[in-house]
Amino acid sequence: MTIWMNVRNLQRAMDKGIPRLIIIYGLCVLSIAGPCLAVALASSRISLRQQQDRAETIAADILRRALRVSAQTRASFAALRRSPDGIVCSESHIELMRQIVVKSYLLLDVGIARDDQLLCSSFGKKPVNIGSPSYLSATGNLIRNNVGHPMLLDGKMLIITEATSGVSVEIHEDTILDVSPVDSGLVIGLVGWSKRHIMMRRGDFDFNRIRGPDSEFDGFSYDGRSLIAWKRSTNADFAAVVVVGSSEILASWRQVAWMIAPLGILTCLSLLFVVRQFVRQQASLPTRIKRGLEREQFFLVYQPIVELATGRTVGAEALVRWRLDDGDLIGPDIFIPEAERHHLIEKITERVITLFERDAAGLLTRNPDIFIALNFSAEDLCSSDLCFRLRQCISRMGIQPGQLHVEATERVFINHERVNQNLKALNVEGIPTAIDDFGTGYSSLAYLTSLQVNCLKIDKAFIDTIGMESVTSHVVNHIIEMAKSLNLEMVAEGVEAEQQAIYLREHGVKFAQGWLFSKPLSIEQFTHRVGETGESK
């Protein structure tokens, strides 16, 4: 439905003079480029969201393991601050270390460090050089990262030493940073948060690029190259950080793009189909209009016009419709502008007059107080023989001139002088005239004082604002007052609610039409509504 509404908008654009080829070429480009761009943007957004979720999940898992290690580290510090026999690195002290290691399954080893050496550990009393500390943490612990171990040939350790007692714990990186092989392409790390010191990491990344405020305990950022997610401990000065690099993001984007590409292709094909149908319709419509006239595919329906004070039917507006041989209807908003553009509108008007004579002659002769309003185009109202054609029509039907009303939209009155000559001639003949859809066209209100018209038909767009808080809700009052000051009759179009009818009646509008009273009717239905007795109801 939306696509076809857009096609109709394009039709209106053509009516305003926008070159047809530009619109068609533009549609083709948009039909191809639009879905491709949409797929690319959607893939980017979806892949970034997936990678953010992935990074946050891994960071949360790393932080959870780091907190468990931290808890066991604090317990080890408390237990080893004093040797059972008061002698540092005694046999009883080392035995206590072994017991702690057995209980603390996340710690690789515990021991006592002094002067850049591990004096003893659960492995025994054998000094090992562990190098100088990397930094002093905010909690007063000495941190040594990336430390080798004589019994660990393929791994690195993190050594945390309590500065006051020298009690140290050794932690294997895998205990905290072990991830699935699927995530091996990510940069992961445990970082001292306050100063961005690296405790342990896998992969190369400048962790100083993290821009999270100290008040936040988790977050993420994307700088166009890398997506960074972090989860920070609430009671310790460290955070788990996961970095998804551009290669991972690109691989995810490609995967998502392949998944939603069929939808983009389907959308592209659908749009191209609509463009093709639109082009075919526009290319062939004038020919089809001619064929439709030859095959008598055009017909009239009648929208009743009622007197608001009594509900009495006083007349109707004749609306032209086009039904193809297969039963499909083509709306007047499509074929009327095309007929005007290709100078076929006079042929349609001739058909409308013929249908009007055939449909309404009997009804109008039996009901002299009923009128039918016909719509005319700018080309019709500028025609020099308009009055003659209508006079002949009235004569053939045997009706009164006042039973045929002439309507035209505001844009018809752009050619003010030529149209006004015909309006004067119609008034001389006794044929009433009305401006249809008043308030939406191009004519100036100043023209009304010189135009020979009898009635204003207030457009539905303004009727819809009655009872609503709208910026245009006051316009209908101005139109009503202006029509009163010029002694013009008024017909409200598109009345659909009782509240609107009451408002219009109270403000002096005598006549109305719309679905509140009746939908457009066939001539048989309208005749039945009026009644064969000649009395309107």
Side-chain angles (χ1 to χ4, degrees):
M1 179 65 72
T2 301
I3 291 176
W4 287 111
M5 288 176 66
N6 291 336
V7 169
R8 292 187 177 186
N9 290 335
L10 290 168
Q11 172 68 48
R12 295 188 184 100
M14 289 185 177
D15 294 340
K16 294 179 181 179
I18 299 176
R20 185 187 304 269
L21 285 178
I22 293 178
I23 292 178
I24 292 174
Y25 286 140
L27 279 172
C28 292
V29 171
L30 287 175
S31 298
I32 298 173
C36 292
L37 181 61
V39 167
L41 292 176
S43 300
S44 177
R45 178 170 295 185
I46 293 172
S47 62
L48 282 176
R49 182 62 194 180
Q50 288 180 343
Q51 294 307 308
Q52 178 187 337
D53 293 343
R54 175 191 182 193
E56 289 179 344
T57 300
I58 295 173
D61 189 48
I62 291 173
L63 179 63
R64 185 167 52 253
R65 281 180 266 167
L67 290 173
R68 290 175 185 161
V69 169
S70 178
Q72 293 187 7
T73 297
R74 290 194 301 272
S76 299
F77 286 171
L80 286 175
R81 285 192 184 105
R82 292 195 177 192
S83 171
D85 57 6
I87 302 173
V88 175
C89 290
S90 65
E91 285 300 322
S92 60
H93 202 186
I94 293 173
E95 180 59 29
L96 179 59
M97 295 176 190
R98 291 170 181 154
Q99 294 174 10
I100 290 173
V101 170
V102 170
K103 294 178 181 178
S104 305
Y105 60 94
L106 295 176
L107 304 182
L108 180 65
D109 199 4
V110 296
I112 301 296
R114 300 277 173 80
D115 299 328
D116 299 340
Q117 281 192 329
L118 188 65
L119 300 180
C120 60
S121 71
S122 63
F123 289 98
K125 190 175 181 179
K126 184 178 181 180
V128 176
N129 185 21
I130 56 175
S132 58
S134 303
Y135 69 93
L136 179 66
S137 73
T139 55
N141 296 323
L142 300 173
I143 307 297
R144 294 176 174 87
N145 56 22
N146 206 28
V147 179
H149 193 283
M151 299 184 68
L152 268 176
L153 301 179
D154 60 344
K156 296 295 182 179
M157 293 187 304
L158 173 70
I159 299 180
I160 303 176
T161 302
E162 189 177 47
T164 56
S165 65
V167 178
S168 302
V169 298
E170 302 172 21
I171 306 156
H172 196 287
E173 286 185 351
D174 286 349
T175 304
I176 296 176
L177 300 185
D178 188 32
V179 294
S180 167
V182 176
D183 301 315
S184 59
L186 305 180
V187 176
I188 57 178
L190 195 66
V191 179
W193 185 254
S194 58
K195 295 185 179 180
R196 303 298 192 270
H197 288 299
I198 299 171
M199 299 178 70
M200 58 177 66
R201 73 176 177 186
R202 287 183 181 174
D204 186 24
F205 183 76
D206 181 8
F207 289 98
N208 287 312
R209 286 169 55 187
I210 302 173
R211 292 292 181 261
D214 291 338
S215 59
E216 293 184 2
F217 289 95
D218 56 42
F220 77 95
S221 64
Y222 178 64
D223 60 5
R225 295 175 298 166
S226 304
L227 187 149
I228 310 166
W230 65 88
K231 297 285 184 180
R232 179 183 159 204
S233 169
T234 58
N235 54 17
D237 185 40
F238 59 76
V241 180
V242 177
V243 181
V244 185
S246 57
S247 60
E248 290 281 332
I249 295 174
L250 180 60
S252 175
W253 178 87
R254 288 172 178 164
Q255 184 179 16
V256 173
W258 276 111
M259 291 175 61
I260 65 175
L263 179 60
I265 294 172
L266 181 62
T267 303
C268 178
L269 292 176
S270 299
L271 290 174
L272 287 173
F273 174 76
V274 171
V275 171
R276 176 177 174 271
Q277 292 297 102
F278 175 72
V279 172
R280 286 182 60 187
Q281 183 187 63
Q282 295 304 312
S284 62
L285 200 52
T287 302
R288 295 171 70 189
I289 291 174
K290 294 177 183 178
R291 189 181 302 117
L293 289 168
E294 293 170 359
R295 296 181 178 181
E296 298 187 353
Q297 293 175 341
F298 291 88
F299 64 99
L300 295 179
V301 293
Y302 298 85
Q303 176 82 60
I305 298 173
V306 303
E307 187 177 42
L308 286 172
T310 63
R312 183 173 63 94
T313 300
V314 296
E317 179 182 358
L319 305 169
V320 64
R321 297 290 185 261
W322 182 12
R323 180 184 288 113
L324 303 179
D325 291 338
D326 60 6
D328 288 345
L329 287 172
I330 297 180
D333 56 338
I334 293 178
F335 70 80
I336 292 295
E338 193 71 9
E340 290 178 332
R341 187 162 44 246
H342 290 85
H343 305 289
L344 296 172
I345 193 64
E346 283 193 309
K347 292 186 179 296
I348 291 180
T349 301
E350 289 177 9
R351 179 60 181 163
V352 167
I353 294 174
T354 300
L355 291 170
F356 165 65
E357 289 183 26
R358 185 192 70 185
D359 288 350
L363 171 66
L364 295 181
T365 54
R366 290 191 302 271
N367 298 275
D369 57 340
I370 296 295
F371 69 87
I372 301 293
L374 302 182
N375 286 282
F376 290 86
S377 69
E379 195 170 339
D380 294 322
L381 283 185
C382 289
S383 174
S384 59
D385 65 345
L386 175 64
C387 288
F388 174 77
R389 290 159 60 196
L390 295 184
R391 189 187 311 120
Q392 291 293 102
C393 170
I394 291 170
S395 176
R396 287 190 298 267
M397 294 177 70
I399 62 175
Q400 299 298 317
Q403 290 182 275
L404 170 60
H405 289 201
V406 170
E407 293 185 5
T409 58
E410 283 190 79
R411 63 189 181 90
V412 170
F413 298 96
I414 296 176
N415 194 335
H416 177 67
E417 294 300 327
R418 293 188 62 182
V419 170
N420 211 21
Q421 291 175 8
N422 271 336
L423 293 179
K424 291 178 180 178
L426 290 172
N427 276 331
V428 171
E429 295 289 339
I431 300 174
T433 55
I435 300 179
D436 197 13
D437 301 332
F438 185 79
T440 62
Y442 306 101
S443 68
S444 168
L445 296 181
Y447 285 174
L448 290 177
T449 58
S450 58
L451 285 175
Q452 299 294 312
V453 295
N454 309 101
C455 177
L456 293 184
K457 300 191 74 174
I458 306 171
D459 188 76
K460 181 181 185 299
F462 301 109
I463 303 301
D464 287 342
T465 64
I466 293 175
M468 301 177 64
E469 295 297 329
S470 170
V471 293
T472 59
S473 59
H474 65 284
V475 176
V476 66
N477 289 333
H478 292 313
I479 294 175
I480 292 172
E481 293 304 317
M482 178 195 62
K484 287 179 180 179
S485 68
L486 297 174
N487 295 317
L488 298 176
E489 291 286 359
M490 289 172 283
V491 178
E493 297 183 291
V495 178
E496 298 179 350
E498 186 65 32
Q499 177 189 6
Q500 296 171 345
I502 294 172
Y503 180 92
L504 292 165
R505 183 171 63 246
E506 291 176 348
H507 285 75
V509 178
K510 291 184 179 181
F511 306 106
Q513 64 186 80
W515 280 62
L516 176 64
F517 312 107
S518 174
K519 66 179 182 179
L521 305 174
S522 66
I523 187 60
E524 293 79 13
Q525 292 170 324
F526 181 65
T527 299
H528 178 73
R529 179 183 177 91
V530 171
E532 294 297 330
T533 63
E535 294 184 5
S536 305
K537 56 183 179 181

